[in-house]
Amino acid sequence: MTKFVSILGLTAAVLVTGCAKKEQSTAAKAEGAAASPAEASKAAPASEGATVFEVTANDQMKFGTTRLEVKAGATVRIVLNNVGTIPKVAMGHNIVVLKLGVDPLQYALAAAGAQATDYLPAARSGDVIAHTKLIGPKEKDEITFTAPSEPGEYPYICTFPGHFAAGMKGVLVVQ
Ligand code: CU
């Protein structure tokens, strides 16, 4: 069954590759107009009062942006954009923003065993400020939440097994 599902995933990936190219170049143009494509930690212009960030995730298990700076109490929107091509069963990504003082390694270890809930352990839901869905290639998901009132460096990680250890992490800096 697992093999069957992965084959389906691969087929879907191959099918979307053809039309994804055009989409990608359009997205790249739009990004270039909005901000420098490199390590952009500056927030995009506010829309509806929210501080908006786009964070890419790729097949190399890296986030495109690893430092997001916001004001305490601000409305924050994070758009996760999976720019990879590997099927979700093998290379899914999410963003989980953790509370201050939560050890991201311990959270990631607990999450690795929570496949049934897309690697979000129910027993540790109290450790989480906000999280996206687990997404596959060429998918996006976004979260909107209120930045904590307490300044500090809040870790965010991808909880797909092995990704945190591979460096898929960043910090939400609340000032
Ligand atoms: Cu990941």
Side-chain angles (χ1 to χ4, degrees):
M1 188 56 190
T2 308
K3 194 178 270 179
F4 181 62
V5 169
S6 353
I7 288 166
L8 273 182
L10 279 170
T11 310
V14 169
L15 282 175
V16 297
T17 308
C19 50
K21 270 185 193 147
K22 199 180 283 176
E23 239 176 326
Q24 221 172 14
S25 62
T26 314
K29 261 181 222 160
E31 243 172 61
S36 137
E39 290 282 318
S41 71
K42 282 268 194 306
S47 72
E48 301 157 28
T51 305
V52 184
F53 300 96
E54 180 176 283
V55 178
T56 56
N58 64 22
D59 290 344
Q60 287 70 46
M61 296 175 284
K62 292 290 181 295
F63 286 130
T65 308
T66 54
R67 190 178 169 89
L68 310 176
E69 297 179 1
V70 297
K71 294 251 187 310
T75 301
V76 184
R77 182 173 305 147
I78 300 176
V79 181
L80 177 64
N81 180 7
N82 183 347
V83 297
T85 57
I86 299 175
K88 182 176 163 182
V89 286
M91 187 59 70
H93 299 299
N94 62 13
I95 285 183
V96 181
V97 184
L98 298 170
K99 289 183 181 170
L100 213 54
V102 174
D103 180 346
L105 174 61
Q106 292 306 316
Y107 186 88
L109 290 173
Q115 185 178 14
T117 50
D118 280 350
Y119 308 109
L120 291 166
R124 300 195 62 156
S125 60
D127 292 349
V128 175
I129 292 174
H131 68 83
T132 67
K133 291 186 296 191
L134 187 72
I135 60 172
K138 309 302 174 209
E139 290 182 340
K140 284 187 181 184
D141 189 38
E142 64 174 61
I143 43 173
T144 302
F145 59 97
T146 302
S149 55
E150 188 180 351
E153 300 204 349
Y154 293 72
Y156 63 86
I157 67 173
C158 172
T159 62
F160 195 91
H163 290 197
F164 171 76
M168 207 159 186
K169 59 186 172 178
V171 285
L172 174 74
V173 182
V174 176
Q175 291 161 329

